[in-house]
Amino acid sequence: MFYSGNLGIKQGLPDFVEVFRAAAESWRLRIHGGGVEAQRLRSEQRPGDRVELGPVLAESEYIRALLGATACLVTQRPGVGANFLPSKLLPALATGTPVLAVCDPGSPLGVEVEEGGFGVVVPPGDSKRLRAVLGAWQSEPERLRRASIRAMERAGRYRRETVLQRYEDELSALAGHGGHRSVGAAEA
């Protein structure tokens, strides 16, 4: 499993690592990033640990790691995901990497993962659910293959043209234009 990005408070990664160690006997977790929780994660490393810590990756290394990962981990502490989707979700979708979302199930991230079918949502701290998900992924690799296909299908929803068009439509509606009005580059 692969995680890359900010190791900050809102991700709750140190708490997840504790649950991961208890629930995932045959899985390895590769973490790359930096932030305020990096030192805490390093200080809690153990000899022979299945959790590997590394530095922030260059973009090409990051994409290569995603392509080689069984799954991409995206974590959010309870209560912090009410208003956004994490940016690490989009590269996972584009590379067809299944997602393990550790977050509130009703958060935008949780809803997106469930609706898109490209991964599984595990509530923070739920070691029983984590163990079940990882066990199912290991014993039934077809689940991961289907999630990978769904990730690539879902990636189209976030193409630049699609997203920009949605923004334009929403802004036009807010400005009172009612319908879609295409603008040229000079006007935009």
Side-chain angles (χ1 to χ4, degrees):
M1 186 163 319
F2 177 67
Y3 176 96
S4 182
N6 188 29
L7 307 177
I9 301 295
K10 72 181 180 185
Q11 287 76 26
L13 201 55
D15 296 335
F16 172 78
V17 167
E18 288 179 36
V19 173
F20 176 83
R21 285 183 176 123
E25 296 93 20
S26 60
W27 283 77
R28 287 184 39 241
L29 174 59
R30 182 176 169 199
I31 300 171
H32 283 271
V36 297
E37 294 282 38
Q39 185 55 40
R40 178 177 166 196
L41 286 165
R42 281 188 193 85
S43 72
E44 293 174 356
Q45 275 197 292
R46 303 170 184 169
D49 205 347
R50 291 174 290 109
V51 177
E52 173 190 323
L53 296 173
V56 174
L57 298 173
E59 185 177 356
S60 61
E61 293 173 36
Y62 170 61
I63 297 302
R64 201 172 10 263
L66 267 176
L67 288 168
T70 302
C72 175
L73 172 65
V74 181
T75 61
Q76 290 180 336
R77 285 190 103 131
V80 300
N83 298 316
F84 62 91
L85 285 174
S87 59
K88 61 185 69 69
L89 182 63
L90 301 181
L93 295 177
T95 58
T97 307
V99 173
L100 175 66
V102 178
C103 62
D104 291 326
S107 70
L109 172 60
V111 170
E112 179 65 11
V113 171
E114 290 292 329
E115 284 181 4
F118 51 81
V120 177
V121 175
V122 173
D126 191 340
S127 62
K128 184 177 178 182
R129 173 88 171 122
L130 179 62
R131 182 177 284 119
V133 167
L134 296 179
W137 280 356
Q138 191 164 10
S139 66
E140 301 173 53
E142 179 62 22
R143 289 182 185 213
L144 287 166
R145 192 184 74 71
R146 284 191 310 266
S148 177
I149 291 167
R150 293 296 310 256
M152 288 186 281
E153 291 170 352
R154 193 68 165 195
R157 181 177 186 183
Y158 295 101
R159 284 190 356 252
R160 178 179 300 247
E161 300 81 17
T162 305
V163 171
L164 291 176
Q165 187 61 60
R166 276 192 249 150
Y167 270 106
E168 184 178 336
D169 292 346
E170 289 295 322
L171 290 172
S172 290
L174 286 172
H177 293 291
H180 168 68
R181 183 172 84 75
S182 184
V183 296
E187 192 177 355

